[in-house]
Amino acid sequence: MITKVTVPVQGMHCASCAATITKAVKKAPGVVSVEVNYGTEKATLEYDADASKIEDLSKRIEPFGYSFLVSEGEKHGAQKNAATHVMPDGTVMSASEHAEHTGIGQPKEQKLKELAKLRRKIQFVLPITFLVFALMMWEIAASAYSWLPPFILPMEIYQPLLFILATVVLFWIGKPYLRGVATFARHHVANMDTLIGIGTSVAYIYSAVVVLFPGIRDALRLPETVYFDVTIVVIGFITLGKFLEARSKLRTGEAIEKLMNLQAKTALIERDGKEIEVPIEQVHIGDIVLVKPGAKIPVDGEIVEGRSAIDESMVTGESIPVEKTVGDSVIGSTINKQGAFKFKAQKVGSETLLAQIIRMVEEAQGSRAPIQKLVDTISGVFVPIVLVIAVVTFIAWMIAGSYTMTTSEALSFALVSFVSILVIACPCALGLATPTAIIVGVGKGASGGILIKNAESLEKLHSITTLVVDKTGTITKGMPELTDVIAAAGVHEDEALSLIASLEKKSEHPLAEAIISAAKRKGLELRDVENFHIVEGKGLRGTIAGTEYFVGSPKFAEEHGAVIDRAPIERLAMQGKTPIVLGATNRLIALFAVADTLKDNAKATVVALHKQRIKVVMLTGDNQRTARAIADQVGIDEVFAEVLPNEKANKIIELQKRGEKVAMAGDGINDAPALAQSDVGIAMGTGTDVAIESADITLLKGDIARIPQAVKLSKRTIRTIRQNLFWAFIYNVVGIPLAAGLFYPFFGLLLNPAFAGLAMAFSSVSVVTNSLRLKAMRL
């Protein structure tokens, strides 16, 4: 029996961990496919349950320091009970297991513990790191400028103090990196931890020998220079990066949790002729559910009695509530604005639209994006190469030196070369290359109202070719406004607006507020209304100063005998506006139009994106005519209209199959799966928390003008990272041959550990200084 599960992974430290886990699990019998995502720290496993158990798969990765966090339900199979959820594949899950399936519960507590542990380490190591780094810079400056004092503390005090600090930092803070060295030694699997662990350990061990065993140091003629500061600074900064990364990844799980919290907790249903309130888990298909004004609709179904206007913005993203009557479908988690009704439950539990959206978000977040992990790729090759070079150099010096010098001298040269190679290959600059640029870039973005969740977002954003935007709340303001007033001959616009606003002030219709707000902005008087009456689904009537007026759709006006000119109505509809007619006793007084209006900077933003060679596509649930009208106004290249919530992610996939690198900007729950599926998700800060949590980048105040700024920031940051990697390696390229002694027979040049450390420090200075240049850029 083929089983497919998604389980949290414990112990992942870097992106290359995913490759190690995938390789190990694929070798197990019965495994069909393995997909490990470092960003979500989850693995999706498809395997034959008769050939392997999930506990067996977990044991396969335990020697490498990883494990699968497996629930009892996943170990022993789902059990049926009173509250169950039937999955699309027929699997029956308990309520608690369903929560686990949707990503709630299991990993968060574990992540919080790990984050708290990292926070304690950061609070201890960062002050020490910054102090030691400052002293390193002082020492470098003192070697370059003779007028600076050589050092603050005597070496007799400073070196033992550094030894104590480095010991604590290496064996407590740096334990994961030492574990990476041990894993490499046992299983020949290298990652970034291995690189950090080897560099810091060698620097520490060499320095400890120099300080603790002066007899050995003198006998081997070793320089008195120590590299404890290398150990402290590298581990300190890398641990800071791990903390920031862990904190951002924790928020990924919160998106799913907030989606779950949107669901109603209880439902009012009819059973045995009585109205009873039951937990949402106890609603069955076929139950008759009662919904009162202002209540949240608990599950998906079809109205069987009554009518109402329902706010579906949480699902469709559209700001204007939708009129519903008998036979119309309703969606769980949406809000009933006015009127009471009954509906028949058709989809419950994991079959509801909200549950499907949750699943789509989780699946999209869990799928791997083709992101290049340059540093991890290099580290996997770099570590063994450097070790081989160092060992070969040591042996070569011992053999060659035995013919030309004493054994003690040969050992001294061999050891100095061995240590110099490993010190100059220490990943201080390599470890700082990405984090420093990201920290500065993210800080720069935050100061400009661009919140970036993680480094991957910046890495992917710089290469996007297509931006997909939602209409409501992204291109438009997301709130209906009065856009047109066309008064009949002999009627003043303000008089007409005063009349309709007076009538609408007693209405609960969603568009009433737009009309009333427009009248208030003009300071118009709202008059008393008598005999007020709402005609469900059509409009309203009321008497002002003895005259009866009606307000509603053009069809409603025609029912009252009014003669309607269809030309302006068609024109307004073509512009994506909703026409409203005000009339009195078979005559037309005025025609009004209400619409969701463009954001002030929408057109300028599209122009700026075109200059960056980025195609702009609109993806909306609104009708084709309205969407096309908005798109034409701002210059959008392509429109996907009348797209259902569960189809939006498919449209993103369609664009990706064309070879496009897609960024998605939106603000509704219906946008969450598309935001997660896109290469980069951009949430408008005025949107729902779920869209924001599902996205990689959030624009504060929903300012779309910040999208081109975010792209520019991404391009500059990635360019800076590449420059940093160049500076991080140029010292190795030049220094390793020098450290190996290749030039000694010809020029008498041999790089000792002191100069190797100096070169390594200069590479760090180059990297940090280059990253700080991002602060000066204009967004």
Side-chain angles (χ1 to χ4, degrees):
M1 181 180 68
I2 301 299
T3 301
K4 186 175 182 179
V5 295
T6 299
V7 293
V9 184
Q10 189 173 22
M12 295 180 73
H13 298 296
C14 67
S16 60
C17 295
T20 302
I21 295 169
T22 301
K23 186 177 180 181
V25 176
K26 272 188 174 179
K27 294 179 181 178
V31 173
V32 178
S33 67
V34 183
E35 192 171 281
V36 183
N37 187 295
Y38 172 58
T40 58
E41 294 184 352
K42 290 183 180 180
T44 300
L45 311 172
E46 192 172 358
Y47 62 98
D48 186 347
D50 297 325
S52 289
K53 294 181 179 179
I54 193 145
E55 303 99 299
D56 300 329
L57 301 181
S58 183
K59 287 177 182 177
R60 282 187 166 266
I61 61 174
E62 285 173 7
F64 304 103
Y66 316 114
S67 63
F68 294 138
L69 297 176
V70 187
S71 69
E72 290 302 313
E74 284 159 343
K75 283 183 182 179
H76 307 298
Q79 298 176 357
K80 295 182 181 181
N81 57 25
T84 60
H85 300 269
V86 181
M87 306 305 291
D89 59 3
T91 306
V92 181
M93 308 184 78
S94 69
S96 60
E97 289 164 355
H98 179 254
E100 290 169 0
H101 167 78
T102 50
I104 306 303
Q106 289 180 334
K108 186 175 182 181
E109 185 179 349
Q110 183 68 29
K111 287 182 181 179
L112 285 171
K113 287 180 181 178
E114 291 176 3
L115 192 64
K117 189 186 297 183
L118 273 173
R119 184 180 285 108
R120 288 193 295 271
K121 290 183 176 182
I122 285 297
Q123 290 169 347
F124 171 81
V125 79
L126 272 192
I128 298 172
T129 299
F130 286 125
L131 176 61
V132 172
F133 187 71
L135 293 175
M136 282 178 66
M137 295 305 99
W138 180 284
E139 190 174 11
I140 293 170
S143 65
Y145 301 101
S146 58
W147 50 270
L148 281 175
F151 214 68
I152 299 172
L153 294 174
M155 287 296 114
E156 295 80 5
I157 299 174
Y158 184 61
Q159 287 185 350
L161 178 61
L162 277 184
F163 168 68
I164 295 170
L165 292 175
T167 301
V168 175
V169 170
L170 179 63
F171 291 99
W172 176 35
I173 311 295
K175 187 182 290 186
Y177 313 125
L178 294 179
R179 197 179 296 122
V181 177
T183 301
F184 175 67
R186 288 198 303 268
H187 305 286
H188 311 294
V189 175
N191 57 22
M192 195 66 190
D193 288 354
T194 310
L195 198 61
I196 297 164
I198 290 177
T200 53
S201 298
V202 169
Y204 174 84
I205 293 169
Y206 174 82
S207 303
V209 170
V210 169
V211 172
L212 299 179
F213 305 101
I216 296 177
R217 178 194 68 204
D218 295 339
L220 297 178
R221 300 178 186 178
L222 299 177
E224 296 185 13
T225 307
V226 296
Y227 306 100
F228 293 124
D229 46 7
V230 171
T231 300
I232 294 169
V233 170
V234 171
I235 291 176
F237 280 128
I238 296 299
T239 305
L240 173 61
K242 295 276 188 185
F243 171 76
L244 296 175
E245 182 181 11
R247 191 172 63 176
S248 69
K249 284 196 292 186
L250 183 65
R251 290 198 290 270
T252 302
E254 290 176 355
I256 304 291
E257 195 167 1
K258 288 186 177 182
L259 275 169
M260 289 291 291
N261 290 336
L262 289 172
Q263 190 176 36
K265 303 298 185 289
T266 61
L268 189 64
I269 65 173
E270 284 186 352
R271 278 189 187 164
D272 302 324
K274 296 180 181 178
E275 295 182 7
I276 59 172
E277 190 171 8
V278 299
I280 189 72
E281 292 85 3
Q282 294 181 17
V283 178
H284 302 307
I285 294 174
D287 278 343
I288 300 300
V289 184
L290 289 75
V291 184
K292 296 181 178 180
K296 188 176 288 187
I297 297 170
V299 296
D300 297 359
E302 181 180 303
I303 295 177
V304 295
E305 181 182 319
R307 63 191 313 144
S308 184
I310 298 176
D311 179 1
E312 295 186 342
S313 61
M314 298 171 67
V315 174
T316 64
E318 298 305 319
S319 58
I320 300 175
V322 181
E323 298 283 348
K324 299 278 187 176
T325 187
V326 175
D328 290 336
S329 60
V330 292
I331 302 169
S333 82
T334 58
I335 299 172
N336 180 28
K337 299 294 286 185
Q338 65 178 76
F341 64 91
K342 297 179 182 180
F343 75 94
K344 186 177 183 179
Q346 293 179 327
K347 293 182 179 179
V348 299
S350 61
E351 295 182 353
T352 64
L353 181 62
L354 180 62
Q356 291 173 21
I357 290 175
I358 292 171
R359 226 168 15 249
M360 287 193 296
V361 172
E362 188 176 44
E363 288 173 2
Q365 287 181 335
S367 60
R368 283 185 61 85
I371 305 165
Q372 293 183 346
K373 295 293 182 182
L374 183 58
V375 174
D376 288 301
T377 303
I378 292 171
S379 67
V381 179
F382 187 63
V383 175
I385 288 177
V386 168
L387 282 173
V388 168
I389 292 173
V391 171
V392 168
T393 299
F394 183 89
I395 295 171
W397 268 109
M398 290 301 296
I399 294 173
S402 63
Y403 294 102
T404 58
M405 60 187 75
T406 65
T407 302
S408 176
E409 288 175 329
L411 178 61
S412 177
F413 274 105
L415 193 57
V416 166
S417 295
F418 178 80
V419 173
S420 294
I421 290 171
L422 290 175
V423 168
I424 202 168
C426 180
C428 183
L430 185 61
L432 291 171
T434 301
T436 54
I438 293 299
I439 288 170
V440 176
V442 168
K444 180 70 177 179
S447 66
I450 303 166
L451 302 184
I452 301 161
K453 181 177 283 188
N454 51 44
E456 284 189 2
S457 308
L458 275 180
E459 185 178 350
K460 291 184 285 186
L461 184 62
H462 88 284
S463 61
I464 67 164
T465 58
T466 299
L467 173 70
V468 176
V469 293
D470 180 42
K471 179 180 74 69
T472 307
T474 306
I475 294 296
T476 63
K477 294 177 181 177
M479 294 186 66
E481 292 183 0
L482 181 66
T483 57
D484 297 84
V485 180
I486 305 173
V491 180
H492 194 277
E493 287 185 3
D494 287 353
E495 172 67 13
L497 181 56
S498 174
L499 286 170
I500 193 172
S502 300
L503 292 161
E504 292 283 13
K505 73 179 179 180
K506 284 193 172 186
S507 169
E508 295 179 355
H509 195 278
L511 301 182
E513 189 176 344
I515 294 171
I516 295 167
S517 296
K520 286 181 177 178
R521 281 196 299 270
K522 285 195 167 189
L524 301 179
E525 177 187 359
L526 299 187
R527 310 170 196 185
D528 293 331
V529 178
E530 298 176 347
N531 302 322
F532 180 81
H533 177 65
I534 293 177
V535 181
E536 290 288 349
K538 295 182 178 181
L540 56 86
R541 287 193 290 264
T543 303
I544 299 177
T547 302
E548 186 180 38
Y549 297 91
F550 62 86
V551 177
S553 65
K555 184 178 180 181
F556 185 55
E558 287 175 342
E559 290 177 2
H560 282 75
V563 179
I564 303 295
D565 182 0
R566 284 286 170 180
I569 292 174
E570 290 295 327
R571 177 174 56 80
L572 293 171
M574 287 296 293
Q575 295 172 0
K577 300 174 181 178
T578 302
I580 301 172
V581 177
L582 169 66
T585 55
N586 73 18
R587 68 187 177 92
L588 180 69
I589 295 176
L591 177 65
F592 300 84
V594 175
D596 190 5
T597 56
L598 286 175
K599 288 187 175 180
D600 297 335
N601 49 14
K603 188 171 183 179
T605 298
V606 172
V607 171
L609 288 166
H610 285 161
K611 287 181 179 178
Q612 293 175 330
R613 297 181 180 180
I614 295 173
K615 178 182 177 181
V616 184
V617 177
M618 180 189 288
L619 181 62
T620 179
D622 213 339
N623 65 72
Q624 181 71 36
R625 186 166 57 183
T626 301
R628 190 69 259 176
I630 295 293
D632 289 342
Q633 290 180 58
V634 296
I636 285 173
D637 302 293
E638 188 175 357
V639 175
F640 292 124
E642 300 176 21
V643 180
L644 296 175
N646 57 351
E647 295 176 345
K648 287 197 171 186
N650 293 335
K651 291 297 182 183
I652 300 294
I653 294 172
E654 182 180 323
L655 289 168
Q656 289 170 331
K657 285 181 177 178
R658 295 183 196 173
E660 303 286 349
K661 297 291 184 183
V662 182
M664 166 75 185
D667 70 338
I669 292 175
N670 65 304
D671 298 325
L675 288 170
Q677 176 61 48
S678 61
D679 295 292
V680 181
I682 304 172
M684 314 309 289
T686 51
T688 64
D689 289 342
V690 175
I692 293 171
E693 292 295 342
S694 299
D696 302 303
I697 295 172
T698 300
L699 306 181
L700 294 181
K701 298 180 182 178
D703 187 358
I704 60 169
R706 292 190 171 115
I707 295 178
Q709 295 175 356
V711 173
K712 179 182 178 182
L713 176 64
S714 172
K715 291 179 183 293
R716 286 289 298 273
T717 304
I718 297 304
R719 187 170 69 188
T720 299
I721 289 172
R722 288 170 177 165
Q723 292 168 347
N724 286 349
L725 291 174
F726 168 79
W727 287 112
F729 282 108
I730 193 66
Y731 294 96
N732 293 330
V733 172
V734 175
I736 288 178
L738 188 59
L742 292 181
F743 302 108
Y744 185 77
F746 309 103
F747 308 104
L749 297 175
L750 181 65
L751 184 67
N752 64 41
F755 288 103
L758 189 64
M760 185 276 300
F762 269 125
S763 68
S764 299
V765 172
S766 303
V767 164
V768 174
T769 303
N770 191 46
S771 295
L772 289 174
R773 291 193 309 120
L774 283 170
K775 283 189 174 183
M777 75 170 287
R778 276 188 182 179
L779 290 178

